[in-house]
Amino acid sequence: MNKFTDGLGMQFVKVGPLKGKVGSQKDRISTPVHESKAEQLWFGVTEVTIGQWKEYFRYNLSHQWGMWDTVSRYAPDDDHPILCISLEDAMEFCRTMTELEGVRYRLPTEEEWELVARNGGSNAYIGDDEFFALTDEYEHSFPVRQLPPSELGIYGMRTNAWEWTQSEFLPYPDSKADHPLYSRMAWVLRGGGFRYPTDVWKRNPSSDKIRNFTFGLRVVRKPTN
């Protein structure tokens, strides 16, 4: 079985183990290109949707969020990605889902995220020139399955919502780049928002408390067999 649907209606596809190169010479904070790997896991087929986020609140009434008015301006329907999510919100969601499902839910690391986005089911490194930033910029988000999926059957990894990872924003191994946030407790988002479509190696650092209107989440689930 390579696909799974959980009790909240979130769909996952089994990926990995993967290994390959991540990073880019085209972006200062994404250098250098280096080897990475990901263990086998269930990877979210789509970003968490508004409908799934609503269902989540049936189980966690204590989560103080209150961003519905802002979300409704940019994501009008239940099949759009939930937006205005901070890292703290995303971690609370994962904790609740772990309790409900009895198996660990978490955010992907940024290198897991990039390996899945790059490899498309193989371990071959896809060079920078074979990727390009999407040129369409939307005023609103769009349904999570609107664009075609990857070879793995995964949707929307380069647009729609920036997706939180569990990775702290630090320089890559052997990097000579500097950045003012490297020592300021920032975390990495990946994938690009509907206003900011981007490439698979782009690292977007942010505080764990920021609820930007383009910030969402995608989760992974530990395999049970």
Side-chain angles (χ1 to χ4, degrees), residues 164-189:
W164 283 105
T165 74
Q166 63 173 273
S167 297
E168 189 176 351
F169 182 57
L170 297 170
Y172 279 156
D174 301 319
S175 172
K176 295 180 173 57
D178 194 14
H179 193 284
L181 291 179
Y182 278 159
S183 59
R184 299 286 296 276
M185 295 299 290
W187 279 261
V188 179
L189 297 104

Side-chain angles (χ1 to χ4, degrees), residues 134-208:
L134 300 174
T135 56
D136 291 332
E137 296 182 13
Y138 297 86
E139 288 299 311
H140 304 282
S141 68
F142 47 87
V144 293
R145 295 176 185 265
Q146 178 169 304
L147 298 179
S150 71
E151 293 178 26
L152 291 172
I154 296 171
Y155 292 81
M157 292 190 71
R158 292 173 57 218
T159 186
N160 219 2
W162 283 103
E163 301 174 15
W164 283 105
T165 74
Q166 63 173 273
S167 297
E168 189 176 351
F169 182 57
L170 297 170
Y172 279 156
D174 301 319
S175 172
K176 295 180 173 57
D178 194 14
H179 193 284
L181 291 179
Y182 278 159
S183 59
R184 299 286 296 276
M185 295 299 290
W187 279 261
V188 179
L189 297 104
R190 290 298 198 106
F194 54 93
R195 291 277 185 88
Y196 312 99
T198 192
D199 288 293
V200 295
W201 56 82
K202 287 288 186 181
R203 310 172 74 202
N204 182 11
S206 180
S207 161
D208 59 345

